[in-house]
Amino acid sequence: MTNKKEPLALNKSVQPGVLIISHGSPDPGWAELVDGTVSELMELLPEGISVEAVFLDNQEGRLIQDGIDRLEAQGITEIIVIPLFVSSGSTHIDEITYALGIKNTPEKETDMERLRISARVFLGVPIHDDPLIAELVWDKVKGLSKRPEREALVLVGHGSRHDGFRQRWKEGIAALSARIGEISGLAAADYALLNPDSLRSQVSRYTEEMGDEVIVAPLFLSAGYFTKSVIPERLKGLQYRYSGGAVAAASSGRPLDVCANIEYNEISE
């Protein structure tokens, strides 16, 4: 995608729109973060594409069905769905895929019901290990680095206790850690999960080898309970440097831009 906005060159019978889905939060700052990122994304999209940002819960009038209804009321026939989640191991990805009618049965039991939708759906992918995300994460962390060749980075992800989902979480965060290691010059780039809990044992292993040359970075889309309370509490007494904020936080529309570009190309062919 370029920075120049151009009219869509598609068949007149095709009208695309974008539906961005993220987890809801009672914290108004989360919705503000998503809305700010969407605004930046819209500056990059070609003219004529409508965008709706919706949430799984906690946002009255902005749930998934609300967004679909508003897009279809505008005559949208193709909906590009961007799941704003860190990992394909999230159980929410499974239930969203089911609710959209893309799969007949969810892998894990869900309370989410099928959504009413007439438009054709193109489902994007979570952040996972995209190279642009690796650059974004390192940009947010490197201020804590003094001598990368002697330091270790431990990315911390939420994880999952459910079979299948847990493996996808590990696969994605391991690949992302490896990418960051390649571009950063760090002595080691690794990961830990909160579920099942491997955080303290993983950080302890590196602090025993490297002392205080260990950087811990939470792989979350926004700062909150896990970044401010859970991670520091589980690492109490250990020496490490902590980014504190959410290193995968949406910034300059880049996580969304990656997904939107992929799916726009698919429906434009």
Side-chain angles (χ1 to χ4, degrees):
M1 302 175 100
T2 65
N3 289 329
K4 182 180 179 182
K5 298 175 70 174
E6 298 175 353
L8 273 170
L10 296 175
N11 186 302
K12 290 183 179 180
S13 64
V14 175
Q15 182 61 39
V18 177
L19 185 72
I20 299 165
I21 303 175
S22 66
H23 201 295
S25 171
D27 182 355
W30 172 236
E32 291 171 5
L33 172 66
V34 173
D35 289 340
T37 305
V38 170
S39 294
E40 293 177 1
L41 171 66
M42 292 181 70
E43 293 298 317
L44 303 174
L45 289 174
E47 291 181 0
I49 295 185
S50 296
V51 179
E52 285 284 340
V54 296
F55 304 87
L56 290 177
D57 53 24
N58 291 304
Q59 297 291 330
E60 185 176 354
R62 298 190 64 182
L63 301 180
I64 299 175
Q65 189 64 65
D66 298 319
I68 291 172
D69 291 345
R70 283 192 289 269
L71 287 173
E72 293 192 335
Q74 298 174 55
I76 299 302
T77 60
E78 312 274 8
I79 298 181
I80 304 161
V81 178
I82 300 177
L84 191 56
F85 293 86
V86 169
S87 172
S88 58
S90 170
T91 56
H92 295 310
I93 299 299
D94 177 52
E95 61 185 358
I96 289 169
T97 305
Y98 164 72
L100 289 170
I102 294 173
K103 61 166 60 174
N104 293 325
T105 306
E107 294 178 52
K108 182 181 176 297
E109 187 176 350
T110 177
D111 293 331
M112 187 176 287
E113 299 179 351
R114 292 280 197 179
L115 295 159
R116 301 185 310 275
I117 185 166
S118 299
R120 186 181 179 191
V121 174
F122 293 79
L123 182 62
V125 296
I127 289 173
H128 208 61
D129 68 329
D130 189 278
L132 287 179
I133 301 305
E135 293 177 13
L136 174 63
V137 171
W138 177 238
D139 283 345
K140 288 180 175 287
V141 170
K142 65 183 179 183
L144 297 175
S145 177
K146 300 173 183 176
R147 297 176 294 179
E149 70 281 0
R150 299 185 182 185
E151 298 166 338
L153 170 68
V154 178
L155 285 183
V156 184
H158 186 280
S160 176
R161 296 185 180 277
H162 303 290
D163 289 339
F165 298 95
R166 179 175 62 255
Q167 286 78 5
R168 289 196 284 274
W169 250 108
K170 288 182 176 181
E171 178 186 350
I173 196 170
L176 182 61
S177 299
R179 287 192 186 277
I180 295 170
E182 292 172 0
I183 65 178
S184 65
L186 288 162
D190 212 333
Y191 72 92
L193 298 177
L194 298 179
N195 290 296
D197 187 8
S198 61
L199 176 58
R200 189 175 183 88
S201 61
Q202 189 76 309
V203 175
S204 294
R205 181 166 70 87
Y206 282 107
T207 55
E208 288 172 4
E209 297 175 8
M210 301 179 172
D212 64 354
E213 303 288 350
V214 179
I215 301 170
V216 176
L219 189 65
F220 287 77
L221 287 169
S222 67
Y225 173 65
F226 290 104
T227 63
K228 296 176 181 177
S229 300
V230 174
I231 294 173
E233 181 64 27
R234 292 189 186 182
L235 296 178
K236 187 178 292 185
L238 297 180
Q239 283 189 313
Y240 62 95
R241 299 176 216 153
Y242 188 44
S243 68
V247 297
S251 175
S252 300
R254 290 177 68 185
L256 301 180
D257 189 26
V258 170
C259 295
N261 192 32
I262 292 170
E263 297 305 319
Y264 173 67
N265 286 341
E266 285 188 2
I267 71 169
S268 298
E269 290 176 353

